[in-house]
Amino acid sequence: DHRDLHLSLRRQRQMCIRDSNITVLPSYTEGYPYVVDESLSRDRPVIVFEEISNQWGELDFVLHSMASATKEMTTSRLIDIKLNDFNFAMQISCYSFLAVAKLSEPLLKKTQGSLITLTYLGGQRVLENYHFMGPMKSALESCVRYLASELGGDNIRVHTISAGAMPTRAASGIQDLAGLLKTTEERAPLQRLCTPREVGELMAFLSGPNSQGMTGGIHYVDGGYNIPVSYTHLTLPTNA
């Protein structure tokens, strides 16, 4: 039986057992709780994975969904961001993925599992009001490629999901989010915003057996918004 465990490094409402910073939540599969680390303390992820190892000894997949920046970063130019703020954002948004990968490696090795993280198009292109997170996502995407190379020998697959703009709490820190959502809807070939459910369905595919031949890639769930506008509205000359 698959012991599906969604390790989400984001805050959740406490519903079951709490040990200061560790929260165990009842999952949708009876008997298998989600384990959430709500602390930035360096030893907390270690405690979480020790608990997972003691309970199950293996993992089918891990989803890393963690990013953060200081409020000052969202309103200043990239060139004006202070080193401490930049390092904070890089540690939370990128290095945490490496830390999770190292801790989960022996557990994923047993199942030939998947390690998945989330990114955004602003990691590859200059997008308005995303300057404070774009470099972090670029670094994260590079880590995915290198980890795919390093862990491939053990058949551990590493993936990135690039979701389009959505009206979520995580996106609320972006200036003029309403304008971004409107632009995304207008320019995406599907002419709509994608949903969290669609992102989850892709994650389920990447974590399952049907994607065993895939690793190291960026997989878009954005209605085609990542396609350059000049190509989505291309009109061929009549004499072509």
Side-chain angles (χ1 to χ4, degrees):
D1 293 335
H2 286 296
R3 297 170 180 178
D4 292 343
L5 184 142
H6 170 188
L7 178 62
S8 175
L9 298 182
R10 59 186 175 86
R11 293 186 179 179
Q12 298 279 357
R13 178 175 295 181
Q14 299 164 10
M15 298 174 62
C16 187
I17 304 171
R18 180 171 183 176
D19 173 17
S20 65
N21 295 302
I22 301 298
T23 303
V24 181
L25 308 175
S27 79
Y28 296 105
T29 304
E30 185 176 356
Y32 301 118
Y34 296 108
V35 182
V36 181
D37 180 14
E38 295 185 346
S39 173
L40 302 182
S41 175
R42 293 182 180 179
D43 62 337
R44 288 300 175 181
V46 176
I47 296 174
V48 170
F49 278 93
E50 284 180 351
E51 181 65 21
I52 294 171
S53 181
N54 291 336
Q55 286 197 22
W56 301 299
E58 62 184 35
L59 282 174
D60 291 316
F61 69 91
V62 171
L63 172 63
H64 170 271
S65 178
M66 189 173 186
S68 186
T70 64
K71 185 176 181 180
E72 290 75 14
M73 292 177 67
T74 66
T75 56
S76 67
R77 300 186 304 167
L78 176 62
I79 200 172
D80 295 326
I81 292 176
K82 297 178 180 178
L83 178 59
N84 287 342
D85 290 344
F86 189 91
N87 286 343
F88 169 82
M90 186 64 75
Q91 177 184 357
I92 303 305
S93 307
C94 179
Y95 183 77
S96 63
F97 179 62
L98 297 179
V100 167
K102 182 174 179 61
L103 292 168
S104 62
E105 179 184 7
L107 302 174
L108 292 170
K109 185 186 300 185
K110 296 179 180 180
T111 64
Q112 300 182 2
S114 296
L115 180 61
I116 306 169
T117 189
L118 299 175
T119 188
Y120 180 59
L121 186 61
Q124 298 187 31
R125 299 185 195 168
V126 175
L127 298 181
E128 189 175 3
N129 297 325
Y130 203 69
H131 60 282
F132 65 96
M133 189 54 62
M136 317 308 158
K137 293 301 186 182
S138 294
L140 179 66
E141 292 169 8
S142 180
C143 288
V144 166
R145 291 187 288 271
Y146 279 99
L147 287 184
S149 176
E150 292 180 355
L151 302 179
D154 291 316
N155 287 310
I156 297 175
R157 294 162 285 142
V158 189
H159 306 287
T160 319
I161 296 176
S162 183
M166 301 179 195
T168 63
R169 182 178 179 182
S172 62
I174 300 175
Q175 293 186 56
D176 191 23
L177 175 60
L180 175 60
L181 296 174
K182 184 175 184 296
T183 299
T184 301
E185 191 169 5
E186 291 174 347
R187 295 184 180 179
L190 294 184
Q191 298 183 0
R192 66 173 178 86
L193 299 177
C194 290
T195 66
R197 180 181 180 86
E198 290 171 324
V199 176
E201 289 173 346
L202 175 58
M203 193 214 71
F205 167 74
L206 293 175
S207 63
N210 292 330
S211 61
Q212 288 183 349
M214 302 166 60
T215 192
I218 300 175
H219 308 279
Y220 294 94
V221 187
D222 61 0
Y225 183 72
N226 67 92
I227 302 173
V229 175
S230 58
Y231 292 106
T232 59
H233 296 89
L234 180 64
T235 301
L236 295 176
T238 56
N239 59 349

